[in-house]
Amino acid sequence: MKTDMPKKIQELIAKIDPIDESFGKMAQKRWNSIAKPLHGLGLLEDAVCQLAAIQRTENPCMKKRALAVFCADNGIVAEGVSQTDSHVTAVVAKNLCRGDTSVCKMACVASCHVFPVDMGMQEAVIDEKMLDMHVARGTKNFLYENAMTKEQAEEALLRGFELAEKLADEGYQLLATGEMGIGNTTTSSALASLLLGLPAEEVTGVGAGLSAEGLAHKIAVIKEGIVRRKPEKDDFVDMLCKVGGFDIGGMAGYMLGAAAKRIPVILDGMISQVAALLAVRLCPLVQGYLLASHKGSEKASGLLLAELGKKALVDAGMHLGEGTGAMTVLPLLDMALRVYGEMATFDDIQIEAYKPL
């Protein structure tokens, strides 16, 4: 790739090792010994094996888990690509701090701590629960200028990386991704178009609920913005700074940091999947640390998952964001781990084990 990563980020990426597949094989052997049909829990069994390979243990654990919700505003909203304006970002961010959003309610059920993160909102939210990591007060309108400077793009990546390291050092065993920011389906669609090498119309959806006319306008804005900004091919930091968002940069860095700390990451929907593909383009080893929660209803979600080599655990037509998809699968993983850790084996019940035919 052509991107000239700053030395500090290169040093951080150098910390990332491959997952250890030998532990995944041990976990699969344990699954096959359990008194149930082979691969009876399907993708849930695969997820437990991946957790084992990531954590380098035959007995993976995710009791302490955190969701970081990256909040940021996007200058491209000025082009009428969303039903609402940027003030809504701060309103929802305040509710995140109060625990009064969809993802907060779901996180209570999933026993997951929620950390709202200001990566670059136009309006600062002053609350002790808000992690202020903002790079700037919103990005620029990429139809007329770069969304951010290269230095700001690098800073967003770095701050996300540092957040993951901080949470890992506090004992969190699993990290989940979420986001909030009006206009971020536009920035993520623009990045998806570049990262996947597909025209904007193939990766752009209605977001929070645009009409057919609104969607056509959104696609036109993305296409024109890419033409004007001329992102460098295979320079992924340049793509981020030309048409991306601080939330996407923060999430990508967060995934890099989690991988460096050997922590699994649960992806949310399309926007976090774009951030994941950006992280994987920067460091392919990150792919082994990512688990896909759900296939969102946004147009690009299935394409991004396929490019990442991931199968979603849930396909429920969700497109709420905030990390709600990630929270949906945590109870499923808890149940799978309970079966994996506590279920009797064929030897225990003195029945001959199933064998593949």
Side-chain angles (χ1 to χ4, degrees):
M1 80 186 158
K2 294 180 181 179
T3 186
D4 182 19
M5 291 292 289
K7 184 177 179 181
K8 188 169 183 180
I9 293 181
Q10 288 183 28
E11 291 172 351
L12 295 174
I13 288 176
K15 297 178 182 179
I16 300 173
D17 295 319
I19 63 173
D20 192 333
E21 297 286 4
S22 66
F23 287 99
K25 291 176 181 177
M26 291 180 201
Q28 188 60 64
K29 186 176 180 181
R30 162 66 184 168
W31 274 122
N32 291 346
S33 74
I34 292 173
K36 62 166 186 58
L38 291 173
H39 209 241
L41 291 179
L43 294 178
L44 292 175
E45 293 190 23
D46 297 341
V48 171
C49 292
Q50 187 179 351
L51 291 174
I54 292 169
Q55 296 182 341
R56 292 157 176 79
T57 175
E58 194 176 353
N59 299 298
C61 182
M62 43 174 257
K63 288 182 180 179
K64 189 174 183 182
R65 52 272 195 115
L67 165 67
V69 185
F70 293 84
C71 305
D73 279 308
N74 304 281
I76 197 67
V77 169
E79 298 306 313
V81 294
S82 177
Q83 287 194 45
T84 56
D85 59 31
S86 294
H87 88 279
V88 174
T89 304
V91 172
V92 177
K94 290 174 185 176
N95 290 337
L96 281 165
C97 293
R98 289 197 292 262
D100 194 20
T101 70
S102 299
V103 78
C104 293
K105 304 307 181 185
M106 296 171 76
C108 288
V109 177
S111 301
C112 184
H113 297 140
V114 177
F115 293 92
V117 184
D118 180 358
M119 283 300 300
M121 293 186 291
Q122 286 186 3
E123 177 186 339
V125 172
I126 308 303
D127 191 290
E128 62 180 9
K129 292 186 177 179
M130 176 63 70
L131 299 180
D132 184 3
M133 306 185 78
H134 80 277
V135 178
R137 288 294 164 211
T139 57
K140 304 296 185 182
N141 182 344
F142 72 72
L143 191 60
Y144 300 104
E145 56 187 313
N146 292 348
M148 62 190 84
T149 66
K150 187 174 183 180
E151 291 74 22
Q152 288 174 330
E154 293 165 355
E155 191 62 29
L157 288 163
L158 185 60
R159 293 185 185 188
F161 197 112
E162 290 171 347
L163 176 58
E165 288 192 315
K166 175 180 179 293
L167 293 173
D169 291 343
E170 291 175 4
Y172 286 94
Q173 300 158 310
L174 179 140
L175 302 181
T177 59
E179 41 63 37
M180 174 58 214
I182 301 303
N184 60 9
T185 61
T186 300
T187 54
S188 55
S189 294
L191 278 172
S193 175
L194 295 170
L195 291 167
L196 293 171
L198 294 173
E201 52 266 34
E202 292 187 26
V203 297
T204 305
V206 297
L210 291 174
S211 64
E213 182 181 1
L215 176 59
H217 172 66
K218 180 178 177 180
I219 292 169
V221 167
I222 291 170
K223 293 177 75 170
E224 182 63 23
I226 290 174
V227 168
R228 293 183 183 184
R229 300 282 69 77
K230 299 179 175 60
E232 290 289 332
K233 184 179 180 182
D234 298 329
D235 187 333
F236 308 115
V237 175
D238 189 62
M239 292 176 186
L240 176 63
C241 81
K242 293 290 178 61
V243 300
F246 294 133
D247 51 351
I248 297 171
M251 278 190 289
Y254 180 74
M255 295 171 201
L256 291 165
K261 285 289 191 175
R262 300 180 178 180
I263 304 289
V265 178
I266 305 291
L267 304 180
D268 191 37
M270 177 255 196
I271 299 164
S272 74
Q273 291 160 8
V274 167
L277 187 53
L278 175 61
V280 169
R281 291 284 195 260
L282 293 172
C283 178
L285 292 177
V286 172
Q287 192 267 356
Y289 293 85
L290 308 176
L291 291 89
S293 63
H294 76 118
K295 179 183 176 184
S297 61
E298 276 291 304
K299 206 167 185 179
S301 185
L303 297 169
L304 290 161
L305 289 175
E307 186 69 15
L308 288 165
K310 301 295 177 183
K311 293 182 180 179
L313 295 174
V314 171
D315 185 354
M318 297 170 66
H319 54 269
L320 195 153
E322 298 180 12
T324 49
M327 293 304 96
T328 298
V329 303
L330 287 182
L332 297 176
L333 292 173
D334 285 336
M335 288 186 279
L337 284 167
R338 182 66 67 90
V339 173
Y340 176 83
E342 299 181 10
M343 183 76 177
T345 67
F346 287 105
D347 287 343
D348 292 334
I349 62 174
Q350 298 182 338
I351 292 179
E352 185 177 353
Y354 289 116
K355 294 180 176 60
L357 298 178

